[in-house]
């Protein structure tokens, strides 16, 4: 065999590094570090007691079927519960429009494998979800980014991108957006922009991939319809929706669902078959129980109050520790788990990250969230996981490090 194992790699895998921020997380095993890094739901929100009793019942009554292979497209009970959940969102789908996935990361993988050849164009937000870049990157696409603004991605810029590709007869494969409390920026796309994005999709015949794991975690402001439901109002089929139980139930289940036009769902089901075959039945049954017998709406009411409190403490800490003379600005999310901070241009947040680790606080340097041309003075700060009484201390430590770099 060759000494140089990389010579065996398929062309698309050469240089592939997986989740670029994953490597930074090795620092987080140190218990002295307060982590504002990972987008972890707090275990305080898990319905542990109910999960234990459902687990006992499943193991007593149903162990033989739980331990079996199951249908690729998902368990019938879960599929029905998801269809009903989506009705509460004014989304009306049939069986043929739904694939249960082994969570949204798989949802992203099957979408890009289905649609994208190497060298084809994906339009996305700047910054965008690092895990999506990780999934898409396996197809070696070309990225065209539109900057995030206060009310969501710059749709005018997306139009320019489509226009200039149209001039050379190139049609981008899809537009990827995270419209609700975006990971990483915490920004929510306005209704006007959702409609404008749909206009673009109709005009240029380009599919929208709407990834919305945080949708059910709004803790302030008015709910805005999903792009999927707005498209249904127009009678269209221009959107694939990617959803997950990870953020509103728990990520350990690894269960999610993709929705969309039937032929796309059929192809994604085939791709899932070649990849993970099926999603574990126990995990699916737990998600079914979450939707049918654990009182998911009350659970979410509690989770929203919980995250609102954390967001308030966090935002107050930001104001206290980053006065205007530091030149730092940040977003004010209405839901989800993240805020996005911009430091003065001369600050490289990767350098800041290493200083911060020494000082006992972690965040994610913004460069991880750009598919091209990273803005290195940015950072994602997550307020969902650390205990409430550590948030102020964590932000204070971060501010000290930044002030040292500015001096
Ligand atoms: C925008 C976005 N999409 C997808 C995912 C993947 O979630 P899952 O745990 O369901 O794989 C995440 C997780 O952080 C996310 O933030």
């Amino acid at each position: 065999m060759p000494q140089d194992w990389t010579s065996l790699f398929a062309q698309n895998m050469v240089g592939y590094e997986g989740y670029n921020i994953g490597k930074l997380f090795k620092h987080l095993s140190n218990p002295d570090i307060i982590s504002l890094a990972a987008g972890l739901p707090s275990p305080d929100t898990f319905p542990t007691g109910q999960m234990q009793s459902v687990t006992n019942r499943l193991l007593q009554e149903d162990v033989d079927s739980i331990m079996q292979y199951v249908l690729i497209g998902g368990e019938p009970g879960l599929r029905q519960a998801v269809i009903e959940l989506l009705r509460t969102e004014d989304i009306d789908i049939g069986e043929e429009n739904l694939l249960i996935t082994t969570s949204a990361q798989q949802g992203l993988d099957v979408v890009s494998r289905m649609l994208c050849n190497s060298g084809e164009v994906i339009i996305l937000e700047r910054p965008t979800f690092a895990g999506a870049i990780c999934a898409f990157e396996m197809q070696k696409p070309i990225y065209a980014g539109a900057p995030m603004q206060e009310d969501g991605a710059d749709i005018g810029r997306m139009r320019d991108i489509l226009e200039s590709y149209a001039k050379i007869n190139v049609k981008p494969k899809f537009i990827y957006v995270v419209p609700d409390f975006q990971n990483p920026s915490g920004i929510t796309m306005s209704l006007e922009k959702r409609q404008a994005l749909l206009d673009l999709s109709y005009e240029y015949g380009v599919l929208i991939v709407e990834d919305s794991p945080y949708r059910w975690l709004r803790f302030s402001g008015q709910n805005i319809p999903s792009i999927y439901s707005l498209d249904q109002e127009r009678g269209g089929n221009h959107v694939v929706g990617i959803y997950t139980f990870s953020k509103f139930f728990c990520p350990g289940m690894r269960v999610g669902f993709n929705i969309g036009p039937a032929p796309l769902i059929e192809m994604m089901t085939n791709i899932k078959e070649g990849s993970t075959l099926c999603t574990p039945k126990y995990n699916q049954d737990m998600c079914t129980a979450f939707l049918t017998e654990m009182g998911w709406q009350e659970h979410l009411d509690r989770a929203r109050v919980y995250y609102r409190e954390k967001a308030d403490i966090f935002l107050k800490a930001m104001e206290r520790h980053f006065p205007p003379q530091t030149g730092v600005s940040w977003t004010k999310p209405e839901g989800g788990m993240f805020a996005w901070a911009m430091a003065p241009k001369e600050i490289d947040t990767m350098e800041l990250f290493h200083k911060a680790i020494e000082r006992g606080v972690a965040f994610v340097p913004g460069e991880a969230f750009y598919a091209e041309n990273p803005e290195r003075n940015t950072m994602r700060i997550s307020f969902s996981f650390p205990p409430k009484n550590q948030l102020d201390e964590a932000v204070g430590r971060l501010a000290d490090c930044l002030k040292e770099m500015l001096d």
Side-chain angles (χ1 to χ4, degrees):
M1 294 303 279
Q3 288 298 302
D4 173 17
W5 289 97
T6 58
S7 67
L8 290 180
F9 293 165
Q11 229 166 46
N12 275 5
M13 291 301 125
V14 174
Y16 182 70
E17 289 185 341
Y19 208 3
N20 54 2
I21 55 174
K23 319 276 180 296
L24 297 177
F25 287 178
K26 67 175 189 286
H27 296 284
L28 305 184
S29 50
N30 177 348
D32 297 330
I33 293 178
I34 309 174
S35 176
L36 304 171
L40 302 182
S42 170
D44 296 350
T45 66
F46 299 159
T48 317
Q50 287 168 309
M51 288 162 75
Q52 274 161 356
S53 57
V54 173
T55 299
N56 289 341
R57 193 189 69 222
L58 291 173
L59 289 175
Q60 271 162 19
E61 292 173 8
D62 213 15
V63 72
D64 290 355
S65 69
I66 290 170
M67 295 305 151
Q68 272 305 351
Y69 292 112
V70 286
L71 295 168
I72 305 153
E75 281 295 278
L78 180 59
R79 291 173 61 85
Q80 196 47 45
V82 165
I83 288 172
E84 277 160 32
L85 169 74
L86 290 173
R87 281 202 194 113
T88 67
E89 287 286 318
D90 294 323
I91 293 177
D92 184 20
I93 57 160
E95 289 281 346
E96 68 284 7
N97 306 115
L98 173 65
L99 168 66
I100 301 295
T101 58
T102 306
S103 238
Q105 193 63 36
Q106 178 174 55
L108 290 163
D109 178 40
V110 294
V111 163
S112 62
R113 274 207 258 178
M114 168 174 66
L115 296 174
C116 210
N117 291 305
S118 162
E120 289 187 315
V121 179
I122 297 175
I123 299 181
L124 35 64
E125 298 166 322
R126 279 177 57 79
T128 189
F129 171 49
I133 303 172
C134 173
F136 301 161
E137 197 52 24
M138 284 192 256
Q139 325 316 318
K140 288 258 187 297
I142 292 170
Y143 302 103
M148 287 301 273
Q149 298 170 322
E150 252 176 43
D151 57 349
D154 181 345
I155 307 294
R157 176 77 192 112
M158 287 189 180
R159 177 177 287 283
D160 293 344
I161 293 168
L162 285 163
E163 193 62 50
S164 54
Y165 275 116
K167 281 192 187 132
I168 51 168
N169 281 328
V170 171
K171 186 146 107 169
K173 265 306 164 76
F174 60 88
I175 303 175
Y176 170 71
V177 289
V178 184
D180 301 300
F181 328 115
Q182 192 221 29
N183 179 1
S185 69
I187 288 171
T188 295
M189 190 185 287
S190 66
L191 179 59
E192 295 69 30
K193 283 199 165 169
R194 290 172 199 230
Q195 295 285 20
L197 184 58
L198 273 173
D199 292 343
L200 274 191
S201 157
Y202 280 70
E203 236 174 287
Y204 290 89
V206 177
L207 193 72
I208 297 171
V209 175
E210 177 183 35
D211 178 14
S212 195
Y214 306 95
R215 180 149 184 88
W216 284 275
L217 292 181
R218 174 179 283 283
F219 46 71
S220 66
Q222 288 296 314
N223 203 27
I224 303 177
S226 65
I227 303 172
Y228 200 99
S229 68
L230 294 169
D231 184 38
Q232 280 202 327
E233 270 176 20
R234 299 186 186 199
N237 56 1
H238 286 62
V239 185
V240 168
I242 297 184
Y243 292 95
T244 175
F245 283 86
S246 286
K247 311 294 174 169
F248 76 106
F249 181 29
C250 46
M253 288 297 134
R254 312 307 300 135
V255 178
F257 45 100
N258 281 12
I259 58 176
L264 300 190
I265 292 295
E266 193 183 335
M267 178 51 91
M268 288 190 276
T269 309
N270 293 341
I271 298 172
K272 178 185 171 186
E273 184 170 21
S275 143
T276 52
L277 203 55
C278 57
T279 304
K281 177 168 162 57
Y282 165 79
N283 304 35
Q284 294 192 61
D285 286 356
M286 289 296 279
C287 293
T288 310
F290 178 69
L291 292 179
T292 58
E293 56 184 284
M294 291 192 205
W296 66 274
Q297 270 146 328
E298 293 76 37
H299 168 77
L300 283 180
D301 287 344
R302 283 191 298 275
R304 287 189 201 104
V305 170
Y306 177 88
Y307 287 123
R308 182 191 304 130
E309 255 182 78
K310 277 195 166 171
D312 284 351
I313 297 171
F314 165 74
L315 289 171
K316 283 196 183 106
M318 289 296 285
E319 270 176 31
R320 182 161 44 250
H321 295 291
F322 288 104
Q325 61 270 26
T326 59
V328 176
S329 60
W330 56 92
T331 58
K332 297 180 183 61
E334 295 190 332
M337 302 181 171
F338 311 104
W340 183 247
M342 275 85 47
K345 279 277 175 238
E346 68 269 25
I347 299 290
D348 180 336
T349 53
M350 187 57 86
E351 202 184 312
L352 177 65
F353 173 82
H354 290 290
K355 281 190 191 301
I357 288 292
E358 278 168 29
R359 196 65 68 88
V361 61
F363 63 92
V364 185
E367 65 177 64
F369 303 98
Y370 291 89
E372 17 81 81
N373 306 324
E375 292 191 14
R376 297 188 192 279
N377 60 325
T378 56
M379 54 189 144
R380 186 189 77 177
I381 309 182
S382 170
F383 50 81
S384 56
F385 188 71
K388 287 175 198 157
N389 62 7
Q390 289 188 357
L391 280 167
D392 187 77
E393 172 66 24
V395 173
R397 289 181 193 178
L398 183 57
D400 288 346
C401 297
L402 190 109
K403 285 170 197 160
E404 262 172 36
M405 281 176 81
L406 286 171
D407 280 345

